[in-house]
Amino acid sequence: MSTRLNLKYGLVAEHDRLSSSSDSLSVTEPATGSKSRTKGNLYLIVSASTTGGRARDATALVADTIRREYYYDESAGIPICLEKAFRSAEKRLKSGREGHGVEPGSVGVALAIIRGTELYVATTGPAEAYLVRAARLLMPEVHSGPGLPTTDGIRLDVWRGEFAVGDSLLLVSRDLTEVVGTEELKNAVVTLHPQSAVEHLHHLFVAAGGEGSDAVLAIEASEVGAPRNAHRLVPVAMPEAPEPDPDLVPATGSRAAIAAVGSRAGGARHAVGNAVGGMTDRLADLIPGRRSQYRRISPRVSRRESQRRAAIALLAFLGIIFLSGVGYALIPQFHEDHVTPVTQGEAAYSDAKAGVDDVDQNDLVSTNPTKAKQELQKAWQDLARAAATPSFPPAEVTSLRARISTDLDAVYGTHFMATTMVAQLTSSTNASPDPVDLVQGPDGAAYVDERGAKNVVRIDPKTGASVVVVKAGDGGSQFITTPMMLGVGGPDLLIYDISNKLWRWRPSDQSGGGTLGALTVTAPWGTDSPDIATFAGTGSTDSSQYNLYVPDPTQQQILRYPPTGDGGGFSPPTDFFLAPNADVANFLGISVDGNIYALTTDTVINNHLGSVLQGWTLAVPPDDGDLRVGHAYALFDGTGAPGSGRLYVWDKTYGRLLVFNKSDGSYVDQWLPAPGSPDMTDLRGMYVVEPTVAPGATATPSPAGSVSPSGSATPSGGAPTVYWVTGNALMSAQLVDAPVAPAPTPTPSVTVSPSPSASSAAPTCRPNGKPPGCVTPAPSSTP
């Protein structure tokens, strides 16, 4: 005799599902016996790895098509009918409106057919099926094919097995399995009713931050109870009418009256009793009552496991009580002194202050820099915890942070320089100067590209005298338009305008005189190139013959243009000189000295001319872990011979100048504007001038100049000078220590405008957003 199964299933109601879920569920249990015997019950989930209305329509279409086609098809067995139903669903998904925009393989299907004790399971895409038997989680040996819609045709593998009493089946989306875990799936199905199990799993998925596909359907098989044999009804014969008793004589007269009164009294008692009973029933109806409690059915294995765990927990509880009593009896009692409660913020602040006091009182910065660094870094962390306490006074945190910052800058060897204004940028027109580039010309003067005024200005760095040397419209019939980039090659100042033309201006005197001419470039580049550079080559005797280097983001290469023989332009670019793993679109500028150096917001890429990428990147500044976390490089300049010079990099996050060695990218030192000096912010262009060395002499760069007894800094002969241009001024600073001891509080820099018009002169970036000196101005603040 075959065992009949009672199937119970559970699924999450549509209104309890996540709004981001596009899944569909379908349960079909035929009511007619013939269809139930031939086709069985169909349990189906359709999951989607994407979200949106289009994906929701696609899953609903797949679920409805599979259900309809499976029950309609009577031509073959279950596996073949399922495969044909899947093919029909994929065909409708590809040809229908619902399938437009659905990514291939994003729709997954998990279904189960239960016919009697036969179980058929098929899965495809991001949906899975699990069989729970004897409190063990099993996965049917079925190959899960690619999701719908497929690109090379659907391949469905149908698994057939037995579904017995006590077994459970889970159809679940892959997203929910990955978030909740298979152990939780098993525990929920084993210990809970199917409906409670799916609600519990869905709650775990939502609590863990799950989003998107959340379909889950649980089926449990139990045995149908045997029908109860009721007693057979036996007909009973009607009793015969009794004969009248001769002794019973109808009452007459007074006897009849007494009988009538007794009958009325009995009727009255019956009416009163009915009224009292009715009132009692009405009062009982008004009393609130609890709903009927449904008994939760759990498998026998689960009940035994729960009983075993309860017994172990009881024994452990009794053991803890016994050990606690023994310990209390044997261990001597101690009396603790009263301790005044201290908040975590106060304790952290006290630790930080003790560390700073130890460094200052023992002069550890000079005597033991290593220990001082450890003490100060720990104090910085303690102070950060104190500052995170809401009730702690911020004024005390600010004061102590200034002390720690001063000592850490001394440990890290941070230098502070005096910055000065060389010249104020003005315009003869109503337009703002809006400078975008700065270079040192072949005559040693500073040349500023004032894009707002559409001209190039020459500024004498010694006197601050300025003169317009090139303006839009110069150059004869082939006139120059708005200048966009500047470069220097030999005796020439190179100017690249907005019309994609390259011009050469050659100075003739020291007062701004010179000649302007167009250069021929056979393959011009676009306006998205961030910079141009030149190099004459080692051993070259003719300074007017130099190569032109242009980073081109479109071709992801740095192009090299050799000069033509007549000196009137450049030939088509030769071989490319960039390693394939460098992203030119991220370049902010380049420098060439025999090697190519490319600047990004995070580092400098050193690429040799032989197309071999060098194995170094810029070192991380020593204060990155505490004082100045992170950086954003925007401008740089290189000096000295290949492999022995320096790289000067401007970090716009903190308004500082970082110095690195060209040879290996190692850190040298950093410079910040001294207190009272203009901030080093809103830079549009920058270059560094190192002092010239007489033949036979040796240059000894001195990052810290000497200080005279009067207190003024005496520039050292080997100290470089950095020049930069802001929105309305040319600034400079010699890299020598300022005489006043600084006490900075490092914070990310903001734009400082020397005049009210600076905020309106913010540069407009070129299409790639990264021309030299093109920075996004921050809100203005008073220096």
Side-chain angles (χ1 to χ4, degrees):
M1 178 178 178
S2 61
T3 303
R4 295 178 60 194
L5 298 180
N6 179 27
L7 300 178
K8 294 177 288 186
Y9 70 89
L11 52 82
V12 181
E14 183 67 25
H15 62 270
D16 292 333
R17 302 259 303 282
L18 293 177
S19 60
S20 60
S21 174
S22 304
D23 299 352
S24 296
L25 296 87
S26 176
V27 175
T28 306
E29 295 179 334
T32 58
S34 60
K35 183 165 290 188
S36 176
R37 287 189 297 272
T38 58
K39 307 298 285 188
N41 296 348
L42 171 64
Y43 304 91
L44 168 70
I45 70 167
V46 182
S47 66
S49 58
T50 58
T51 59
R54 187 73 69 183
R56 191 175 295 108
D57 294 343
T59 59
L61 173 69
V62 171
D64 182 68
T65 303
I66 292 178
R67 179 188 59 79
R68 186 177 63 255
E69 294 294 331
Y70 170 70
Y71 281 103
Y72 178 78
D73 190 1
E74 298 284 352
S75 62
I78 291 177
I80 297 177
C81 289
L82 284 177
E83 185 173 357
K84 293 167 68 176
F86 269 72
R87 294 185 185 278
S88 298
E90 182 185 26
K91 182 178 180 181
R92 289 198 60 188
L93 189 62
K94 289 182 177 179
S95 60
R97 176 185 60 83
E98 296 86 348
H100 291 173
V102 178
E103 298 180 1
S106 62
V107 177
V109 181
L111 65 80
I113 302 292
I114 301 178
R115 186 178 67 179
T117 59
E118 299 177 7
L119 174 62
Y120 298 85
V121 176
T123 62
T124 182
E128 299 171 339
Y130 296 95
L131 180 65
V132 179
R133 177 172 292 167
R136 292 188 300 170
L137 189 67
L138 308 173
M139 180 176 286
E141 297 178 357
V142 56
H143 173 70
S144 182
L148 303 178
T150 60
T151 56
D152 55 352
I154 189 169
R155 298 184 299 276
L156 188 66
D157 184 13
V158 181
W159 178 84
R160 177 179 179 181
E162 182 181 1
F163 201 50
V165 175
D167 290 352
S168 298
L169 184 67
L170 266 174
L171 306 179
V172 60
S173 70
R174 187 170 299 166
D175 285 352
L176 191 143
T177 304
E178 293 175 352
V179 173
V180 175
T182 56
E183 188 65 24
E184 289 292 345
L185 296 179
K186 183 193 73 174
N187 293 339
V189 173
V190 169
T191 58
L192 300 176
H193 186 273
Q195 184 61 35
S196 300
V198 297
E199 292 176 355
H200 174 68
L201 293 173
H202 191 266
H203 173 73
L204 294 178
F205 178 73
V206 174
E211 288 290 341
S213 180
D214 62 349
V216 56
L217 193 153
I219 308 108
E220 179 180 315
S222 60
E223 186 175 3
V224 177
R228 220 169 68 185
N229 294 327
H231 293 289
R232 186 176 182 181
L233 299 178
V234 179
V236 179
M238 293 295 294
E240 297 180 359
E243 296 180 359
D245 190 349
D247 295 333
L248 299 176
V249 180
T252 59
S254 61
R255 295 177 61 184
I258 294 171
V261 172
S263 176
R264 291 189 181 95
R269 285 196 307 270
H270 183 70
V272 172
N274 289 341
V276 173
M279 293 178 62
T280 304
D281 292 340
R282 292 186 183 92
L283 291 175
D285 292 339
L286 296 176
I287 299 175
R290 295 186 301 175
R291 296 181 179 179
S292 300
Q293 300 294 323
Y294 298 99
R295 184 168 63 91
R296 177 176 292 178
I297 301 174
S298 58
R300 183 177 302 172
V301 175
S302 176
R303 293 197 298 270
R304 290 178 179 175
E305 181 67 18
S306 301
Q307 293 171 358
R308 184 182 67 83
R309 293 178 179 175
I312 294 175
L314 178 61
L315 292 177
F317 179 73
L318 295 177
I320 292 174
I321 294 177
F322 175 78
L323 293 177
S324 301
V326 172
Y328 184 82
L330 298 181
I331 298 176
Q333 303 299 313
F334 297 96
H335 298 283
E336 296 181 355
D337 297 330
H338 178 71
V339 179
T340 304
V342 179
T343 65
Q344 295 182 354
E346 292 174 350
Y349 179 82
S350 299
D351 293 342
K353 188 174 184 303
V356 179
D357 291 341
D358 181 49
V359 172
D360 291 343
Q361 293 171 5
N362 298 311
D363 194 18
L364 295 181
V365 174
S366 301
T367 60
N368 193 344
T370 302
K371 183 178 179 181
K373 179 180 178 181
Q374 296 173 354
E375 292 280 353
L376 293 171
Q377 288 178 339
K378 182 179 181 302
W380 185 272
Q381 297 172 0
D382 293 337
L383 188 61
R385 289 198 300 271
T389 305
S391 59
F392 200 81
E396 297 185 16
V397 174
T398 302
S399 176
L400 188 58
R401 181 179 285 121
R403 291 182 56 192
I404 300 175
S405 301
T406 301
D407 290 344
L408 279 174
D409 274 330
V411 171
Y412 294 142
T414 302
H415 300 285
F416 295 86
M417 57 187 176
T419 62
T420 58
M421 179 186 295
V422 177
Q424 185 83 21
L425 299 183
T426 59
S427 177
S428 59
T429 64
N430 293 329
S432 172
D434 187 17
V436 295
D437 204 357
L438 170 70
V439 296
Q440 183 186 25
D443 56 351
Y447 287 84
V448 181
D449 180 358
E450 295 182 342
R451 182 175 53 189
K454 299 183 180 181
N455 56 34
V456 177
V457 176
R458 179 187 185 274
I459 301 177
D460 191 330
K462 296 180 180 180
T463 64
S466 61
V467 61
V468 176
V469 295
V470 177
K471 62 180 180 297
D474 292 347
S477 59
Q478 297 181 359
F479 59 90
I480 187 173
T481 57
T482 303
M484 298 296 293
M485 281 189 295
L486 300 180
V488 178
D492 303 327
L493 174 69
L494 301 180
I495 306 172
Y496 186 67
D497 66 11
I498 199 171
S499 301
N500 300 338
K501 296 178 182 179
L502 186 63
W503 300 79
R504 173 181 63 194
W505 187 81
R506 183 169 295 179
S508 59
D509 53 36
Q510 294 295 322
S511 59
T515 57
L516 178 67
L519 291 175
T520 303
V521 179
T522 57
W525 57 95
T527 56
D528 58 347
S529 297
D531 198 5
I532 58 175
T534 64
F535 182 65
T538 305
S540 176
T541 58
D542 187 359
S543 60
S544 63
Q545 294 291 311
Y546 47 84
N547 295 326
L548 177 66
Y549 296 86
V550 182
D552 188 359
T554 303
Q555 302 185 42
Q556 281 294 310
Q557 294 290 345
I558 295 180
L559 309 179
R560 186 186 72 170
Y561 291 86
T564 58
D566 58 358
F570 299 92
S571 302
T574 58
D575 297 335
F576 301 152
F577 297 97
L578 186 67
N581 59 345
D583 188 4
V584 180
N586 292 328
F587 287 0
L588 304 179
I590 62 171
S591 176
V592 182
D593 64 355
N595 296 340
I596 293 180
Y597 304 87
L599 176 71
T600 66
T601 57
D602 186 58
T603 187
V604 170
I605 300 173
N606 182 16
N607 190 85
H608 192 269
L609 288 180
S611 191
V612 178
L613 189 65
Q614 302 300 299
W616 62 259
T617 56
L618 294 186
V620 178
D623 54 0
D624 182 75
D626 38 57
L627 276 178
R628 302 173 183 91
V629 179
H631 57 263
Y633 299 149
L635 296 172
F636 85 131
D637 191 20
T639 62
S644 62
R646 299 283 176 85
L647 291 175
Y648 296 85
V649 184
W650 175 61
D651 175 19
K652 69 178 180 181
T653 301
Y654 296 101
R656 57 178 172 171
L657 186 68
L658 298 166
V659 186
F660 301 91
N661 283 318
K662 273 186 178 180
S663 57
D664 55 3
S666 60
Y667 171 83
V668 178
D669 53 19
Q670 65 174 321
W671 293 85
L672 287 94
S677 297
D679 291 337
M680 198 174 184
T681 55
D682 189 27
L683 271 65
R684 315 294 182 87
M686 181 191 78
Y687 68 86
V688 179
V689 178
E690 289 188 344
T692 57
V693 181
T698 302
T700 306
S702 175
S706 60
V707 178
S708 64
S710 62
S712 61
T714 303
S716 171
T721 302
V722 56
Y723 294 88
W724 68 91
V725 64
T726 64
N728 53 16
L730 176 66
M731 311 292 293
S732 71
Q734 193 173 32
L735 300 187
V736 295
D737 283 331
V740 180
T745 301
T747 55
S749 64
V750 296
T751 301
V752 178
S753 302
S755 69
S757 62
S759 60
S760 62
T764 304
C765 300
R766 291 197 286 272
N768 70 333
K770 305 186 208 57
C774 178
V775 296
T776 303
S780 301
S781 64
T782 302

